[in-house]
Short mmCIF file of all heavy atoms in Angstrom, two decimals:
data_model
loop_
_atom_site.label_atom_id
_atom_site.label_comp_id
_atom_site.label_asym_id
_atom_site.label_seq_id
_atom_site.Cartn_x
_atom_site.Cartn_y
_atom_site.Cartn_z
N LEU A 381 89.34 -60.78 37.36
CA LEU A 381 89.18 -59.34 37.45
C LEU A 381 88.50 -58.99 38.77
O LEU A 381 87.42 -59.48 39.07
CB LEU A 381 88.33 -58.84 36.28
CG LEU A 381 88.06 -57.33 36.25
CD1 LEU A 381 89.36 -56.56 36.09
CD2 LEU A 381 87.09 -56.99 35.11
N THR A 382 89.11 -58.17 39.57
CA THR A 382 88.54 -57.75 40.85
C THR A 382 88.53 -56.23 40.94
O THR A 382 89.26 -55.55 40.23
CB THR A 382 89.36 -58.32 42.03
OG1 THR A 382 90.68 -57.77 42.00
CG2 THR A 382 89.43 -59.84 41.98
N GLN A 383 87.66 -55.73 41.85
CA GLN A 383 87.59 -54.30 42.12
C GLN A 383 87.65 -54.09 43.63
O GLN A 383 87.24 -54.97 44.41
CB GLN A 383 86.27 -53.72 41.59
CG GLN A 383 86.16 -53.69 40.07
CD GLN A 383 84.82 -53.14 39.62
OE1 GLN A 383 83.78 -53.50 40.16
NE2 GLN A 383 84.86 -52.26 38.63
N ASN A 384 88.16 -52.94 44.04
CA ASN A 384 88.17 -52.63 45.47
C ASN A 384 86.74 -52.59 46.00
O ASN A 384 85.85 -51.94 45.42
CB ASN A 384 88.82 -51.28 45.72
CG ASN A 384 90.34 -51.34 45.60
OD1 ASN A 384 90.94 -52.39 45.80
ND2 ASN A 384 90.96 -50.22 45.27
N SER A 385 86.52 -53.32 47.15
CA SER A 385 85.18 -53.33 47.74
C SER A 385 85.24 -53.40 49.26
O SER A 385 84.27 -53.76 49.90
CB SER A 385 84.39 -54.53 47.19
OG SER A 385 83.04 -54.47 47.57
N ASP A 386 86.35 -53.06 49.84
CA ASP A 386 86.54 -53.11 51.28
C ASP A 386 85.64 -52.06 51.94
O ASP A 386 85.58 -50.91 51.50
CB ASP A 386 88.00 -52.84 51.61
CG ASP A 386 88.36 -53.23 53.04
OD1 ASP A 386 87.70 -52.70 53.96
OD2 ASP A 386 89.29 -54.03 53.22
N ALA A 387 84.95 -52.49 53.03
CA ALA A 387 84.04 -51.58 53.74
C ALA A 387 84.78 -50.39 54.30
O ALA A 387 84.20 -49.30 54.45
CB ALA A 387 83.32 -52.34 54.86
N ARG A 388 86.10 -50.59 54.60
CA ARG A 388 86.88 -49.50 55.17
C ARG A 388 87.13 -48.38 54.16
O ARG A 388 87.59 -47.30 54.52
CB ARG A 388 88.21 -50.04 55.69
CG ARG A 388 88.04 -50.98 56.88
CD ARG A 388 89.34 -51.69 57.21
NE ARG A 388 89.74 -52.59 56.14
CZ ARG A 388 90.86 -53.34 56.17
NH1 ARG A 388 91.67 -53.27 57.24
NH2 ARG A 388 91.15 -54.13 55.17
N LEU A 389 86.84 -48.64 52.90
CA LEU A 389 87.02 -47.65 51.86
C LEU A 389 85.73 -46.89 51.55
O LEU A 389 85.75 -46.00 50.70
CB LEU A 389 87.54 -48.31 50.58
CG LEU A 389 88.85 -49.09 50.69
CD1 LEU A 389 89.17 -49.79 49.37
CD2 LEU A 389 89.99 -48.17 51.09
N LYS A 390 84.65 -47.24 52.25
CA LYS A 390 83.34 -46.71 51.87
C LYS A 390 82.71 -45.92 53.00
O LYS A 390 82.99 -46.13 54.17
CB LYS A 390 82.42 -47.86 51.46
CG LYS A 390 82.98 -48.73 50.33
CD LYS A 390 82.09 -49.92 50.03
CE LYS A 390 82.70 -50.79 48.94
NZ LYS A 390 81.85 -51.96 48.63
N GLN A 391 81.82 -45.00 52.61
CA GLN A 391 81.05 -44.23 53.59
C GLN A 391 79.63 -44.03 53.04
O GLN A 391 79.37 -44.28 51.86
CB GLN A 391 81.71 -42.89 53.86
CG GLN A 391 81.81 -41.96 52.67
CD GLN A 391 82.47 -40.64 53.00
OE1 GLN A 391 82.79 -40.37 54.17
NE2 GLN A 391 82.65 -39.80 52.00
N ASN A 392 78.74 -43.57 53.92
CA ASN A 392 77.33 -43.37 53.53
C ASN A 392 76.72 -44.64 52.96
O ASN A 392 76.03 -44.62 51.93
CB ASN A 392 77.19 -42.21 52.54
CG ASN A 392 77.72 -40.91 53.09
OD1 ASN A 392 77.60 -40.63 54.28
ND2 ASN A 392 78.32 -40.10 52.21
N ILE A 393 77.01 -45.77 53.58
CA ILE A 393 76.54 -47.07 53.09
C ILE A 393 75.04 -47.20 53.40
O ILE A 393 74.60 -47.07 54.54
CB ILE A 393 77.32 -48.21 53.75
CG1 ILE A 393 78.82 -48.08 53.42
CG2 ILE A 393 76.79 -49.56 53.29
CD1 ILE A 393 79.68 -49.07 54.15
N LYS A 394 74.24 -47.50 52.37
CA LYS A 394 72.79 -47.67 52.50
C LYS A 394 72.35 -48.87 51.70
O LYS A 394 72.91 -49.15 50.64
CB LYS A 394 72.06 -46.43 51.99
CG LYS A 394 72.39 -45.14 52.76
CD LYS A 394 71.66 -43.96 52.14
CE LYS A 394 72.01 -42.66 52.88
NZ LYS A 394 71.32 -41.48 52.26
N PRO A 395 71.33 -49.59 52.16
CA PRO A 395 70.81 -50.73 51.39
C PRO A 395 70.21 -50.27 50.06
O PRO A 395 69.64 -49.18 49.96
CB PRO A 395 69.73 -51.32 52.30
CG PRO A 395 70.04 -50.81 53.66
CD PRO A 395 70.66 -49.46 53.47
N LEU A 396 70.36 -51.10 49.06
CA LEU A 396 69.81 -50.79 47.74
C LEU A 396 68.30 -51.00 47.77
O LEU A 396 67.80 -52.03 48.24
CB LEU A 396 70.46 -51.70 46.69
CG LEU A 396 70.10 -51.44 45.24
CD1 LEU A 396 70.59 -50.06 44.81
CD2 LEU A 396 70.72 -52.51 44.35
N GLN A 397 67.56 -50.04 47.26
CA GLN A 397 66.11 -50.09 47.28
C GLN A 397 65.56 -50.26 45.86
O GLN A 397 66.12 -49.77 44.91
CB GLN A 397 65.54 -48.80 47.89
CG GLN A 397 66.01 -48.50 49.30
CD GLN A 397 65.44 -49.48 50.31
OE1 GLN A 397 64.32 -50.04 50.14
NE2 GLN A 397 66.21 -49.73 51.38
N ASN A 398 64.44 -50.98 45.79
CA ASN A 398 63.67 -51.12 44.55
C ASN A 398 64.51 -51.71 43.40
O ASN A 398 64.38 -51.31 42.25
CB ASN A 398 63.11 -49.76 44.11
CG ASN A 398 62.23 -49.13 45.20
OD1 ASN A 398 61.45 -49.84 45.86
ND2 ASN A 398 62.39 -47.84 45.38
N GLY A 399 65.39 -52.65 43.74
CA GLY A 399 66.25 -53.24 42.71
C GLY A 399 65.45 -53.97 41.66
O GLY A 399 65.68 -53.81 40.45
N LEU A 400 64.46 -54.77 42.11
CA LEU A 400 63.68 -55.54 41.14
C LEU A 400 62.84 -54.64 40.27
O LEU A 400 62.72 -54.87 39.05
CB LEU A 400 62.79 -56.53 41.90
CG LEU A 400 61.88 -57.41 41.03
CD1 LEU A 400 62.72 -58.26 40.07
CD2 LEU A 400 60.98 -58.30 41.91
N GLN A 401 62.25 -53.61 40.86
CA GLN A 401 61.42 -52.70 40.10
C GLN A 401 62.21 -52.03 38.98
O GLN A 401 61.71 -51.89 37.86
CB GLN A 401 60.83 -51.64 41.04
CG GLN A 401 59.95 -50.62 40.34
CD GLN A 401 59.40 -49.57 41.29
OE1 GLN A 401 59.58 -49.68 42.52
NE2 GLN A 401 58.73 -48.57 40.74
N LYS A 402 63.46 -51.64 39.28
CA LYS A 402 64.29 -50.98 38.27
C LYS A 402 64.72 -51.97 37.18
O LYS A 402 64.77 -51.61 36.01
CB LYS A 402 65.51 -50.36 38.92
CG LYS A 402 65.16 -49.17 39.82
CD LYS A 402 66.40 -48.56 40.43
CE LYS A 402 66.05 -47.36 41.33
NZ LYS A 402 67.24 -46.72 41.92
N LEU A 403 65.00 -53.21 37.60
CA LEU A 403 65.40 -54.22 36.61
C LEU A 403 64.25 -54.52 35.65
O LEU A 403 64.46 -54.75 34.44
CB LEU A 403 65.83 -55.51 37.32
CG LEU A 403 67.19 -55.46 38.02
CD1 LEU A 403 67.41 -56.72 38.83
CD2 LEU A 403 68.31 -55.28 37.00
N LEU A 404 63.04 -54.50 36.17
CA LEU A 404 61.89 -54.81 35.33
C LEU A 404 61.63 -53.74 34.27
O LEU A 404 60.95 -54.00 33.28
CB LEU A 404 60.65 -55.00 36.21
CG LEU A 404 60.68 -56.23 37.13
CD1 LEU A 404 59.48 -56.25 38.04
CD2 LEU A 404 60.75 -57.51 36.30
#
Side-chain angles (χ1 to χ4, degrees):
L381 179 63
T382 64
Q383 292 178 315
N384 284 334
S385 189
D386 195 303
R388 293 170 295 180
L389 302 175
K390 303 176 182 180
Q391 63 180 355
N392 301 325
I393 300 174
K394 299 178 181 179
L396 185 64
Q397 302 291 330
N398 303 320
L400 180 60
Q401 180 181 353
K402 292 181 179 181
L403 287 172
L404 293 175

